[in-house]
Amino acid sequence: RLKLCAILVTVHPYTDGEIGRLAEAMRERYYQRALGRPLVYLFAGTGANQRLLTRLRAACRKVGAGDPFAVLMGYGRHSGEGDEGVQALSAYADAKGGIKSFAELAAHGVACNAKRAASGMSVVPHFTVGWDPRPRIDHPVPWCGYANTSYAPPATEDELVAGARALAEWIRGNRKSCAAGHVLAFAWNEWEEGGWICPSWGIQGPDVSRTDAFAKCIRLWKGL
C-alpha cells in the first residue's frame, strides 16, 4: 500500500531510456504525487539539476505523465537554487556534529526547516530519525567523510515521538510554507549513519520498537 517516488542523483548520466521509463512510471497509480503532480527528489547539486529536470519534464509531456513536483534535498537555500526549476526545498539529513542528545538533533532539524522556509520557497519538512556516523569514522568509506566530533545517541521511543511532535507543531504554525502536504524522513536504514526504522533483533527475538515508534510519528503528521 506504500507508494514510491524517485530520488535523482544529478551526477549520474541518466540515459534517455532511463528518463523515459521514469516518466512512464509516473503515470502509474503506485507513483506518489504532491499537489496532484508526480513527486521527485533531487540530491543537492549544481545547475545540472535544471538540465536533468528539463529532460524529465520533456519526457513526461511526451507520455502525458504531468509536470513533476521537484524537491531539492539541500541544506538551506544557496545562490542559484531558485533557477534550478525546483518547487520546494528539503534535505538529505539535517545532521550536526557536536551534539549529545537526540533532542538537540530534533531541535536542529526544526531550525533547518525554518531556515529553508525563510528563503521564501515552499518546503517539504524534514525529520532526521538519527545521526551517528561513528562506524564510518572508524572505518572510512571512499565517497564521503565526517568530522570526528560527538553525535546524537539513538533516540528512545519517547524521544523520537517528542521530536516528531515538535516538527508537527512547527508545521502547524507554518502551513503556507508546507503546501505540498508531505514530510521527508531520513530513515534509509543507514545503520552506520545512525538513521533507521527497520526492525532489529534482540535477546527476545524481533525488536519492532523503532517501527512502532515511527508509526506514532506518522500518525502525528497525518493528524495535521
Side-chain angles (χ1 to χ4, degrees), residues 144-162:
C144 63
Y146 305 86
N148 189 15
T149 56
S150 58
Y151 293 92
T156 65
E157 178 177 339
D158 289 344
E159 288 174 329
L160 197 68
V161 175

Side-chain angles (χ1 to χ4, degrees), residues 23 53-68:
L53 283 175
T54 297
R55 293 175 61 204
L56 177 59
R57 289 193 162 109
C60 286
R61 285 194 298 271
K62 186 175 181 180
V63 299
D67 185 27

Side-chain angles (χ1 to χ4, degrees), residues 10-42:
T10 355
V11 296
H12 182 77
Y14 295 102
T15 66
D16 290 341
E18 289 171 326
I19 294 294
R21 286 191 291 276
L22 175 56
E24 290 282 359
M26 287 178 166
R27 300 172 56 192
E28 301 295 334
R29 293 179 62 186
Y30 59 71
Y31 198 91
Q32 183 65 57
R33 292 180 170 265
L35 301 179
R37 300 164 63 177
L39 179 63
V40 61
Y41 288 96
L42 300 104

Side-chain angles (χ1 to χ4, degrees), residues 46-135:
T46 63
N49 279 333
Q50 187 172 23
R51 294 190 293 273
L52 181 56
L53 283 175
T54 297
R55 293 175 61 204
L56 177 59
R57 289 193 162 109
C60 286
R61 285 194 298 271
K62 186 175 181 180
V63 299
D67 185 27
F69 186 93
V71 182
L72 185 65
M73 298 195 301
Y75 294 93
R77 187 173 183 179
H78 56 78
S79 176
E81 248 177 34
D83 298 325
E84 294 188 26
V86 299
Q87 282 63 60
L89 302 177
S90 193
Y92 166 76
D94 284 324
K96 185 180 181 181
I99 54 178
K100 298 181 180 179
S101 70
F102 180 79
E104 288 183 71
L105 181 66
H108 172 68
V110 170
C112 288
N113 282 305
K115 182 179 179 181
R116 287 187 282 271
S119 72
M121 289 192 68
S122 182
V123 299
V124 171
H126 187 274
F127 183 72
T128 300
V129 172
W131 186 256
D132 185 0
R134 284 177 293 179

